[in-house]
Amino acid sequence: MASKIRLVLSPFEWFLILLIIGLNLLYSLLNREIAYISTIASISGVVCVVLVAKGHIANYLFGLIQVSLYVYIAWQSRFWGEVMLNGLYYIPMQFIGFLSWRKRMSEGSATRVQARRLSANMRLIIGISTLLATVVYGYFLELLNGQNPYIDAMTTLLSIVAMILMVRAYAEQWVLWICVNAGTILLWSMSVYRQEPHAVIMVMMWSVYLINSVYGLIRWMNHSRLHEKV
């Protein structure tokens, strides 16, 4: 199994995984304790997004581990949008995504999915719909007395749309993931200020996610262009 993973990952992808492991070790040394739940969540999460950028179907295994733990972490910080997103949406989507990717495997590959791109009209419809839904959902989370409701709503709604695009293997998912990751870094940075548990590690995890999302955008757009030429 280990030999197969080495063949799949590039030096940069290994760098991202080793980076989150190193940051967790540094955090543990500085605090003289290991935050087991957030450490496992952050490492499995980075492995997941690295494999998504690679177009590798094994991402769904690590994704299931990460989102299951993240529900508990977000619950502690009262990010209700994140709780509902991960518990009610991301967990079942790991299974749906796995089955969908199995149907869309690249020709001659048993592990990698074929990338494609949205039309201009689809991009416009998605953009307007997501903006309106964010305003409505933000107001709902505000009524629930959630922390930073409109940022929480934005990251939640963009994540839902991005996950759908991911399952359908659209390259534009990465534009949304960049926005989601930047917004979620801001969300957890506010939790760091409030000295809430898991917050520092979550900032580290989402920061690595942001780096990977830029990498994923470049990789998938190039892949989709090559596919269009065939």
Side-chain angles (χ1 to χ4, degrees):
M1 181 68 178
S3 60
K4 290 183 180 179
I5 293 177
R6 290 192 191 98
L7 290 173
V8 168
L9 300 182
S10 69
F12 179 73
E13 291 159 349
W14 274 115
F15 165 74
L16 293 179
I17 294 172
L18 293 175
L19 175 61
I20 192 63
I21 292 173
L23 289 172
N24 273 281
L25 287 174
L26 179 61
Y27 177 85
S28 298
L29 288 173
L30 292 176
N31 290 272
R32 298 182 180 179
E33 64 176 356
I34 301 175
Y36 290 101
I37 293 177
S38 51
T39 296
I40 295 171
S42 63
I43 293 173
S44 61
V46 169
V47 173
C48 171
V49 297
V50 164
L51 291 176
V52 174
K54 195 74 173 180
H56 199 289
I57 196 170
N59 79 84
Y60 289 106
L61 171 61
F62 294 96
L64 182 61
I65 297 170
Q66 192 274 338
V67 297
S68 299
L69 296 176
Y70 191 70
V71 170
Y72 171 77
I73 293 170
W75 180 277
Q76 286 193 317
S77 294
R78 292 192 297 124
F79 293 147
W80 306 132
E82 295 285 286
V83 171
M84 289 184 278
L85 171 69
N86 284 266
L88 302 178
Y89 181 68
Y90 273 174
I91 289 178
M93 284 298 281
Q94 301 307 308
F95 300 98
I96 295 171
F98 177 84
L99 295 175
S100 179
W101 276 34
R102 286 287 294 176
K103 294 178 181 178
R104 290 192 54 80
M105 288 301 181
S106 298
E107 185 177 348
S109 174
T111 58
R112 295 184 187 177
V113 75
Q114 204 170 64
R116 53 181 175 167
R117 284 190 284 174
L118 294 169
S119 66
N121 287 338
M122 290 175 71
R123 292 174 186 172
L124 182 62
I125 292 171
I126 289 172
I128 294 174
S129 300
T130 304
L131 178 61
L132 293 175
T134 297
V135 174
V136 174
Y137 191 45
Y139 178 70
F140 171 70
L141 295 179
E142 189 174 32
L143 294 177
L144 295 179
N145 197 31
Q147 295 281 8
N148 309 116
Y150 288 95
I151 298 176
D152 195 5
M154 179 196 72
T155 57
T156 299
L157 269 298
L158 287 177
S159 296
I160 289 173
V161 177
M163 188 69 187
I164 293 172
L165 296 183
M166 173 184 159
V167 168
R168 301 294 296 165
Y170 283 107
E172 286 83 358
Q173 62 165 300
W174 294 104
V175 176
L176 299 186
W177 287 130
I178 289 171
C179 297
V180 168
N181 295 335
T184 311
I185 289 169
L186 177 61
L187 195 68
W188 282 107
S189 294
M190 294 176 182
S191 292
V192 172
Y193 178 77
R194 293 191 296 267
Q195 298 183 334
E196 295 181 2
H198 309 290
V200 173
I201 294 179
M202 291 299 99
V203 170
M204 296 189 302
M205 180 185 77
W206 286 99
S207 296
V208 178
Y209 280 9
L210 180 58
I211 298 171
N212 182 75
S213 59
V214 175
Y215 170 72
L217 176 62
I218 296 170
R219 185 179 180 88
W220 276 57
M221 290 302 286
N222 288 338
H223 188 192
S224 63
R225 288 191 191 102
L226 288 173
H227 180 244
E228 287 179 351
K229 293 178 181 178
V230 176

